[in-house]
Amino acid sequence: MTTQPEAAAHEPSTARQRDLVALLIALVVAVVLARIVSTLTLRGAIPTPVLQVLVGDLSVWVPLALGAVWVLARTGRGTLSRFRIELGDLVFALGIVILARVLDVVLAISFTGTTGLTPAPSLGAPDVGFLVVSAIGIVLVSPVLEELFFRGLFQRILADELTPRTQWLAVVLTAFLFALSHLFLGSATTTLGGFQVFVTTFVLGLLTGTLVAMTNRVGAAVVAHVLFNAVAVVATWPR
């Protein structure tokens, strides 16, 4: 039998709806700022590659972090415990990475004839500082912040707004939003490239979102996201 507090958790809440709106606003601001920074970079307004990466990353991280902090200030109790990782979670995380990366490679080969995961050409010694700053952002900061924002907060709050029978929509809608944001923030220059980014990140979001929904823990989703991004960084590291 469902207890009264559990039943109430799935009733519409003005506070939860306000939190969802705040997170959506933070995401829109992040996309807009990132596009502005990209335009300034193309015009040469941001001088060095390292500074370009830092400003570009911060334009996304700061709005997402502020939105997350705003929500956590009200609902933060127990959030850190959701980063707990169990051994079984790691097995599922590895499986998610394999599935998502295989899909990405299949799409890349279908569209371009190559995997897309090839070392970048380097004329002389690469800029190690630039590479390290990029790698830290891609492999560590972005996965942690994005999983907290999308799966740890947005998906969980949205699920609480839905009925038990429709909670699966929270996973799908969050994955869609996750993929759409990567499409706008990505560097794809062709329609097929954009389609590949959207499909791959949508599937990654579906798999990690399902895992979070099943375990009520976001730690494994972070691990899967870290490994997914790390594969690309290692495979494309200039040689």
Side-chain angles (χ1 to χ4, degrees), residues 124-212:
D127 187 337
V128 176
F130 167 72
L131 293 175
V132 169
V133 169
S134 299
I136 290 174
I138 293 171
V139 176
L140 294 178
V141 181
S142 290
V144 173
L145 182 56
E146 289 177 9
E147 290 306 320
L148 170 64
F149 185 91
F150 286 101
R151 254 67 66 178
L153 293 176
F154 190 88
Q155 178 178 303
R156 177 170 59 85
I157 296 171
L158 182 58
D160 286 341
E161 279 294 287
L162 300 172
T163 65
R165 289 185 177 182
T166 60
Q167 282 187 335
W168 60 273
L169 285 172
V171 175
V172 175
L173 291 174
T174 302
F176 178 81
L177 193 63
F178 176 69
L180 194 63
S181 65
H182 279 73
L183 180 62
F184 285 125
L185 294 171
S187 56
T189 56
T190 66
T191 301
L192 287 178
F195 178 76
Q196 178 184 342
V197 168
F198 180 85
V199 172
T200 302
T201 50
F202 179 67
V203 170
L204 178 64
L206 278 179
L207 294 173
T208 54
T210 300
L211 182 59
V212 171

Side-chain angles (χ1 to χ4, degrees), residues 18-202:
R18 186 168 60 244
D19 289 341
L20 289 173
V21 170
L23 293 174
L24 286 173
I25 291 174
L27 185 59
V28 170
V29 171
V31 170
V32 171
L33 287 179
R35 304 291 282 194
I36 293 174
V37 170
S38 178
T39 301
L40 293 175
T41 299
L42 291 174
R43 292 178 179 176
I46 305 176
T48 65
V50 172
L51 190 59
Q52 291 169 5
V53 170
L54 286 175
V55 174
D57 285 344
L58 288 173
S59 67
V60 177
W61 294 344
V62 171
L64 295 188
L66 289 176
V69 168
W70 193 89
V71 173
L72 286 171
R74 190 183 66 82
T75 63
R77 287 183 300 176
T79 298
L80 290 179
S81 66
R82 294 191 181 95
F83 280 89
R84 187 176 78 258
I85 302 173
E86 297 185 0
L87 181 60
D89 298 342
L90 296 178
V91 175
F92 281 108
L94 183 59
I96 287 172
V97 174
I98 293 172
L99 288 173
R101 270 297 162 205
V102 167
L103 173 63
D104 188 52
V105 168
V106 168
L107 289 175
I109 292 175
S110 300
F111 297 154
T112 66
T114 66
T115 65
L117 296 176
T118 54
S122 177
L123 300 176
D127 187 337
V128 176
F130 167 72
L131 293 175
V132 169
V133 169
S134 299
I136 290 174
I138 293 171
V139 176
L140 294 178
V141 181
S142 290
V144 173
L145 182 56
E146 289 177 9
E147 290 306 320
L148 170 64
F149 185 91
F150 286 101
R151 254 67 66 178
L153 293 176
F154 190 88
Q155 178 178 303
R156 177 170 59 85
I157 296 171
L158 182 58
D160 286 341
E161 279 294 287
L162 300 172
T163 65
R165 289 185 177 182
T166 60
Q167 282 187 335
W168 60 273
L169 285 172
V171 175
V172 175
L173 291 174
T174 302
F176 178 81
L177 193 63
F178 176 69
L180 194 63
S181 65
H182 279 73
L183 180 62
F184 285 125
L185 294 171
S187 56
T189 56
T190 66
T191 301
L192 287 178
F195 178 76
Q196 178 184 342
V197 168
F198 180 85
V199 172
T200 302
T201 50
F202 179 67

